[in-house]
Amino acid sequence: MARVLVVDDNEDIRELVARQLRANGHKAVAVGSPSEALAIVDERGAPDVAVLDVAMPEMDGLQLLRELRAREGMSDLPAIFLSARVQEHDIQAGRDLGAIYLTKPFIASALIGAISDLVEPKDAGTW
């Protein structure tokens, strides 16, 4: 079980992703903005993996990942970008940050598999 931070400004996608993660035994916290994501991490500590949309108001998911990784103890935070942006330069920008890049619409099994590839099963505790 992994502690997964889901950040997407589209409520339907955000809730669908969180529901799929929970159905597969993960602990998911889903928020709608980068500022909420940073506040949750400051309050609860580091997740095991982040699932981030790329196109969001305030800051994009690429910058959010940089901000998250700048926090103490999070420099190697595993991440998955889940985005409707399918142009090669967008995909490459995500991969350049060492993240897995999945496109929307997404296949739930691909997302679950990517999380399994990134993190070892853990006790999610109360995160």
Side-chain angles (χ1 to χ4, degrees):
M1 179 183 307
R3 298 170 302 171
V4 184
L5 174 64
V6 178
V7 187
D8 197 308
D9 60 319
N10 181 306
E11 183 179 2
D12 293 334
I13 297 291
R14 181 174 69 241
E15 292 307 314
L16 176 62
V17 169
R19 196 168 39 250
Q20 289 291 329
L21 293 171
R22 291 177 188 127
N24 283 275
H26 299 291
K27 176 86 174 176
V29 172
V31 297
S33 72
S35 60
E36 288 177 284
L38 295 169
I40 287 289
V41 167
D42 288 344
E43 177 185 316
R44 299 185 185 189
D48 297 319
V49 63
V51 177
L52 311 172
D53 187 11
V54 173
M56 292 185 287
E58 293 179 36
M59 74 175 77
D60 67 27
L62 302 166
Q63 182 60 36
L64 175 57
L65 181 57
R66 289 183 198 99
E67 293 283 332
L68 289 167
R69 287 181 172 166
R71 283 173 158 61
E72 186 175 339
M74 293 181 58
S75 62
D76 60 350
L77 175 67
I80 300 166
F81 287 111
L82 190 59
S83 180
R85 290 188 177 177
V86 296
Q87 299 210 349
E88 185 57 37
H89 69 274
D90 292 317
I91 294 169
Q92 192 58 50
R95 290 182 178 158
D96 286 348
L97 290 172
I100 293 173
Y101 198 102
L102 301 176
T103 58
K104 295 176 185 173
F106 70 98
I107 299 170
S109 61
L111 177 60
I112 301 303
I115 289 171
S116 295
D117 289 345
L118 291 173
V119 297
E120 293 293 320
K122 297 180 184 176
D123 175 12
T126 59
W127 195 87

